[in-house]
Amino acid sequence: MNLFKLYSRDILGLSVVGFFILSILGVIFGTIALFNYASGNTVLAASNIHLALSHILFVIPALIIGHYINRPSWVAAVDKIKFTREINNHS
């Protein structure tokens, strides 16, 4: 694994975190929609449920990318690079 793949894996990992944050935001919008619907404000509830559904869908690419970057060969290669750097830093 070269440094380009290492850094691209790190960037993909950050995108997984961002996608999960957006999907959690969808859960929050869904909760707000539930409270709006319970209070009788159906127009605002419909708007929030639309936002919730569009944000919850971000969990799908997060799971796909997370599965892709956690391949055993990539994890072993990253551990090898980190171990090599640690040995070189202590020399």
Side-chain angles (χ1 to χ4, degrees), residues 62-80:
L63 292 174
I64 292 170
I65 293 171
H67 179 71
Y68 177 72
I69 65 174
N70 282 324
R71 291 186 295 185
S73 62
W74 277 29
V75 174
V78 169
D79 288 341
K80 181 181 174 184

Side-chain angles (χ1 to χ4, degrees), residues 27-42 44-46 48-49:
V27 172
I28 292 170
F29 281 135
T31 306
I32 292 171
L34 180 67
F35 287 136
N36 285 332
Y37 184 74
S39 68
N41 194 350
T42 57
L44 194 56
N48 282 328
I49 202 70

Side-chain angles (χ1 to χ4, degrees), residues 50-88:
H50 174 72
L51 286 172
L53 291 177
S54 64
H55 280 80
I56 287 175
L57 290 178
F58 280 111
V59 78
I60 296 168
L63 292 174
I64 292 170
I65 293 171
H67 179 71
Y68 177 72
I69 65 174
N70 282 324
R71 291 186 295 185
S73 62
W74 277 29
V75 174
V78 169
D79 288 341
K80 181 181 174 184
I81 288 173
K82 286 181 181 179
F83 183 70
T84 306
R85 283 187 179 174
E86 186 176 318
I87 288 176
N88 290 338

Side-chain angles (χ1 to χ4, degrees), residues 1-22:
M1 175 177 271
N2 56 13
L3 287 178
F4 176 74
K5 282 188 177 180
L6 179 69
Y7 289 125
S8 64
R9 183 177 184 266
D10 290 342
I11 290 171
L12 287 173
L14 289 174
S15 68
V16 168
V17 171
F19 284 143
F20 272 122
I21 289 171
L22 287 173

